[in-house]
C-alpha cells in the first residue's frame, strides 16, 4: 500500500487552489507594474502638478503591486483573517471604525496640514463659511478696496460689476456645513464627522443589500476607512468628503424607498448638487435613475427627473437670485444662467484629445491612493456587474460615467490627494469590493475562505501601517511650507503684505484675507495692483513684502525656468516678512 501523498505546496498549486483571488492579485500586480513603469515612459508629461504627483504616485503603485504579489505567492498566516470575527457584532465594530476615522482625521488636520488650507479651493470654503457666520449671504466690499479685488482674492471669485461684493464661484453647501460646525464646535470637525457619516451610511447600504452577510458590510467599510485618499481628504476643507457622505446617504434613502426614503433622497440630492459644483452628484445618481426607467417604475422615475430638473435650475440661478435678493439688482445678470452656460461652453471649447494622457495619470493616481485590495476585489465583482446582480451595474456605471465626463469637461484637477473627482464614488468601489468578497467566499471550503480573509487582513495592515502614514508624510511635506508661510504672513506687524509670486510655485495661493477685511495685515498679490493703488498704499500704510527669497526659506518650490517678475515698482521702502 502506497503511503499517503503529502499535499502539494508548490507556488502553482497554491495559486490554483485559491482561485480566483490569488490569480486576480497577480493580474492586478501586472497591470499596476505596467502602469507604474510604462506610463511615465509613454506619456509626454507637461510640467504640471498632475505630472509632478504622478511620478511619486507611480512609485506608490509599485509598492501596492508588491503587496498584492506577496498576497498571491506567499503563505499568509491565517491569524490575519481574524478580523472576520468582528462581523459577529457588526454594529459595535462599525461604530468603532466610525469613531477611529473621526479621531485619525481630526488629529491629521493639525499634524499633517497644521490646520491651514492648502489650495484656494479650500480657502474659499472657509471664506464663504466666515461670511455665513456673520449672518450674510454675501460680503459687501468697502469702496476703498473695490477694483482691487483681483489682488485681494486671486481665484474663484465671480465677476460682480463694480466689485461691490464678494461672491464665491463655488456653491454654498460645503461652506454652510463648515459654518454650522463652527457654531457649535469647530469647522475642522466637518470633514471627520462627514466621513463618519459616510462609514455608517455605507454599512447601512451593505446590510440592506446582504442582510445575511455582515462580513460583506465590514469589508466595504474597511476598504473605505483604510483608503489614504479618503482619510487625507477628510483632513481638508475640500467638498469631496461631503460628496462621499451625501452620495451614500442618498443611496441609503433611495434603497429604503417609500415617501420618507425617496423624499429624503431628493432633499439629500438638493444638498449634494449645491456642495460646490452641480455636476458631480448627478453623475453618481444617474445610473440608479436609469434603473428606475428600465424597471418601468415610471411614476417614481418621473418624480426624480422632475426633482433634479428643478434642483439643477435652482443651483444654476443661485448666484443671480442671491445678488438680486441682497440688493444688487441689475448685477445678477453677470452670474445668471447664461454665465453657467458660458462656463460649460468654455470647458467644451478647451477639449482636446491630449486630455487622455491627463486622465490616464488621474486614474493611476486614484488606484495608488486606495486600500491595496480595493482594485482586485472590485475586479472580482465583474461577473456580478455583467449579470446585473443587485446594484453592481449602476455602481460601476457611476465610476465610468464620471471618468468620461471629466475627460470631456475638465481632465486637469489641479491640487488634490489622489484623484478627487472620483472621491464621491469611492463608496461605489467599496460596495463592488464587497461583491468581490462574496464571490470568493461563496465556496463551502473553510480553508479557502480563511486564506482569502488572511490576504485581506494583510492588505489592511499594509494600508494602516505603511500607506496611510506614508501618504500623510507626503502631504505634510508638500503642504507644510505653505502653511508656515501663511502663518508668518498673518503674524507680520505691517498693515499690508505684498506677495510677489514671481517664480514661486502656487505663490498666489498665499494671498488670503478675511471677507470683511477686518484683520491685519491685508494681503495683496503684487502683480495685480496698479501703480496708483501702490502709491496710495505707500502713502497711508506700513508695507511688508513676501517674495522669492522668503518663499525659498520656507521651502516653497521655485519654478524651473526663472523669469523676470512682471510686477509694478513699489514706490516706497518695504520690510521683508519675518522668517523664523
Amino acid at each position: 500500500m502506497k503511503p499517503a501523498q503529502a499535499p502539494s505546496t508548490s507556488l502553482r498549486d497554491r495559486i490554483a487552489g485559491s482561485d480566483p483571488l490569488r490569480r486576480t492579485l497577480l493580474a492586478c500586480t501586472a497591470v499596476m507594474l505596467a502602469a507604474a513603469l510604462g506610463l511615465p515612459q509613454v506619456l509626454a508629461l507637461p510640467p504640471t502638478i498632475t505630472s509632478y504627483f504622478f511620478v511619486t504616485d507611480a512609485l506608490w503603485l509599485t509598492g501596492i503591486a508588491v503587496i498584492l504579489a506577496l498576497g498571491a505567492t506567499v503563505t499568509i498566516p491565517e491569524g490575519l483573517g481574524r478580523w472576520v470575527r468582528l462581523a459577529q457584532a457588526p454594529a459595535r465594530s462599525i461604530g468603532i471604525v466610525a469613531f477611529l476615522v473621526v479621531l485619525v482625521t481630526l488629529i491629521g488636520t493639525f499634524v499633517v496640514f497644521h490646520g491651514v488650507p492648502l489650495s484656494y479651493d479650500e480657502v474659499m470654503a472657509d471664506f464663504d463659511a466666515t461670511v455665513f457666520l456673520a449672518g450674510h449671504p454675501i460680503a459687501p466690499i468697502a469702496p476703498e478696496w473695490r477694483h482691487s479685488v483681483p489682488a485681494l482674492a486671486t481665484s474663484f471669485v465671480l465677476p460682480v460689476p463694480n466689485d461691490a461684493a464678494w461672491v464665491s464661484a463655488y456653491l454654498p453647501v460645503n461652506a454652510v456645513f463648515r459654518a454650522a460646525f463652527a457654531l457649535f464646535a469647530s469647522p475642522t470637525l466637518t470633514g471627520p464627522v462627514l466621513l463618519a457619516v459616510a462609514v455608517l451610511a455605507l454599512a447601512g447600504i451593505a446590510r440592506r443589500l446582504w442582510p445575511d452577510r455582515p462580513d460583506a458590510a465590514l469589508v466595504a467599510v474597511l476598504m473605505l476607512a483604510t483608503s489614504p485618499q479618503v482619510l487625507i481628504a477628510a483632513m481638508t476643507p475640500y467638498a469631496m468628503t461631503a460628496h462621499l457622505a451625501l452620495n451614500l446617504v442618498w443611496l441609503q434613502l433611495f434603497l429604503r424607498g417609500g415617501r420618507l426614503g425617496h423624499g429624503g433622497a431628493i432633499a439629500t440630492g438638493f444638498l449634494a448638487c449645491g456642495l460646490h459644483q452641480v455636476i458631480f452628484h448627478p453623475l453618481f445618481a444617474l445610473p440608479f435613475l436609469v434603473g428606475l426607467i428600465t424597471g418601468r417604475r415610471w411614476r417614481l422615475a418621473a418624480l426624480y427627473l422632475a426633482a433634479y430638473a428643478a434642483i439643477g435650475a435652482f443651483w444654476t440661478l443661485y448666484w443671480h437670485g442671491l445678488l438680486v435678493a441682497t440688493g444688487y439688482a441689475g448685477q445678477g445678470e453677470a452670474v445668471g444662467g447664461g454665465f453657467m452656460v458660458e462656463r460649460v461652453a468654455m470647458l467644451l471649447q478647451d477639449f482636446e484629445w491630449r486630455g487622455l494622457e491627463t486622465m490616464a495619470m488621474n486614474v493611476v493616481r486614484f488606484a495608488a491612493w486606495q486600500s491595496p485590495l480595493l482594485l482586485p476585489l472590485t475586479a472580482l465583482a465583474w461577473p456580478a456587474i455583467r449579470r446585473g446582480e443587485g446594484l453592481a451595474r449602476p455602481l460601476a456605471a457611476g465610476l465610468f460615467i464620471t471618468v468620461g465626463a471629466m475627460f470631456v469637461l475638465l481632465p486637469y484637477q489641479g491640487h488634490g490627494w489622489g484623484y478627487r473627482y472620483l472621491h464621491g464614488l469611492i463608496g461605489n468601489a467599496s460596495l463592488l469590493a464587497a461583491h468581490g468578497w462574496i464571490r470568493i467566499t461563496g465556496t463551502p471550503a473553510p480553508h479557502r475562505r480563511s486564506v482569502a480573509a488572511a490576504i485581506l487582513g494583510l492588505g489592511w495592515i499594509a494600508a494602516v501601517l505603511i500607506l496611510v502614514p506614508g501618504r500623510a508624510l507626503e502631504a505634510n511635506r508638500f503642504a507644510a511650507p505653505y502653511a508656515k508661510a501663511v502663518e508668518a504672513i498673518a503674524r507680520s506687524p505691517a498693515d499690508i503684505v505684498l506677495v510677489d509670486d514671481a517664480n514661486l510655485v502656487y505663490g498666489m495661493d498665499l494671498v488670503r484675507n478675511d471677507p470683511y477685511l477686518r484683520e491685519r495685515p491685508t494681503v495683496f498679490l503684487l502683480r495685480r495692483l496698479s501703480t496708483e493703488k501702490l502709491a496710495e498704499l505707500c502713502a497711508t500704510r506700513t508695507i511688508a513684502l513676501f517674495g522669492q527669497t522668503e518663499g525659498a526659506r520656507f521651502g516653497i518650490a521655485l519654478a524651473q525656468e526663472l523669469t523676470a517678475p512682471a510686477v509694478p515698482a513699489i514706490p516706497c521702502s518695504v520690510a521683508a516678512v519675518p522668517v523664523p
Side-chain angles (χ1 to χ4, degrees), residues 267-510:
T268 303
F270 172 79
L271 294 175
C273 288
L275 279 170
H276 86 298
Q277 299 286 6
V278 171
I279 187 173
F280 290 103
H281 172 72
L283 293 174
F284 163 82
L286 179 61
F288 300 100
L289 303 186
V290 171
L292 294 178
I293 296 173
T294 57
R296 298 180 179 274
R297 302 178 69 182
W298 305 117
R299 293 181 62 183
L300 188 56
L303 172 64
Y304 271 100
L305 293 176
Y308 274 100
I311 290 169
F314 177 89
W315 288 121
T316 299
L317 298 173
Y318 166 76
W319 293 295
H320 172 84
L322 187 65
L323 289 176
V324 172
T326 51
Y328 296 95
Q331 299 181 18
E333 288 78 2
V335 290
F339 174 75
M340 181 71 77
V341 172
E342 183 181 344
R343 291 175 72 183
V344 174
M346 289 178 59
L347 292 175
L348 292 174
Q349 185 178 355
D350 292 339
F351 170 79
E352 57 181 21
W353 287 103
R354 282 185 61 86
L356 281 172
E357 297 178 357
T358 303
M359 288 306 301
M361 290 188 282
N362 290 336
V363 171
V364 168
R365 293 191 61 201
F366 179 77
W369 275 81
Q370 304 310 315
S371 196
L373 271 293
L374 181 68
L375 180 60
L377 284 185
T378 301
L380 284 165
W382 170 244
I385 298 170
R386 188 181 65 246
R387 293 190 296 265
E389 291 181 7
L391 297 181
R393 191 170 289 170
L395 289 170
L399 290 160
F400 286 105
I401 290 172
T402 301
V403 170
M406 291 301 103
F407 163 58
V408 173
L409 293 174
L410 192 61
Y412 178 66
Q413 75 160 351
H415 284 85
W417 310 108
Y419 182 48
R420 58 188 171 94
Y421 291 165
L422 277 178
H423 197 91
L425 293 104
I426 297 177
N428 295 39
S430 299
L431 288 168
L432 289 172
H435 264 290
W437 167 254
I438 290 172
R439 177 189 170 191
I440 61 176
T441 56
T443 172
H447 176 69
R448 184 175 293 181
R449 296 184 63 163
S450 62
V451 168
I455 292 174
L456 264 66
L458 170 68
W460 288 324
I461 289 174
V464 170
L465 297 183
I466 300 173
L467 299 184
V468 172
R471 288 302 197 178
L473 181 61
E474 175 188 333
N476 174 262
R477 286 176 175 170
F478 187 87
Y482 294 93
K484 293 175 182 176
V486 168
E487 291 169 346
I489 290 171
R491 290 194 302 266
S492 172
D495 298 323
I496 302 292
V497 171
L498 303 176
V499 173
D500 181 2
D501 68 328
N503 304 320
L504 286 180
V505 175
Y506 294 106
M508 65 189 299
D509 287 357
L510 300 175

Side-chain angles (χ1 to χ4, degrees), residues 110-122:
F110 298 98
V111 174
V112 177
F113 293 105
H114 301 269
V116 178
L118 171 63
S119 69
Y120 230 77
D121 307 71
E122 301 164 75

Side-chain angles (χ1 to χ4, degrees), residues 45-57 361 365 478 557:
L45 301 181
T48 65
I49 193 170
T50 302
S51 57
Y52 171 83
F53 279 120
F54 172 72
V55 174
T56 302
D57 290 337
M361 290 188 282
R365 293 191 61 201
F478 187 87

Side-chain angles (χ1 to χ4, degrees), residues 105-106 109-110 115 126 178 181-182 185-193 234-236:
T105 53
L106 184 59
T109 300
F110 298 98
D126 282 341
R178 296 188 69 79
F181 275 95
S186 168
T188 56
L189 279 169
T190 310
V193 171
M235 302 173 190
T236 74

Side-chain angles (χ1 to χ4, degrees), residues 182-221:
L183 280 175
F184 302 104
S186 168
T188 56
L189 279 169
T190 310
V193 171
L194 286 174
L195 180 53
V197 170
V199 166
L200 297 175
L202 179 63
I205 294 166
R207 286 198 298 265
R208 181 175 291 274
L209 293 176
W210 305 292
D212 58 340
R213 293 294 303 266
D215 56 326
L218 192 58
V219 167
V221 163

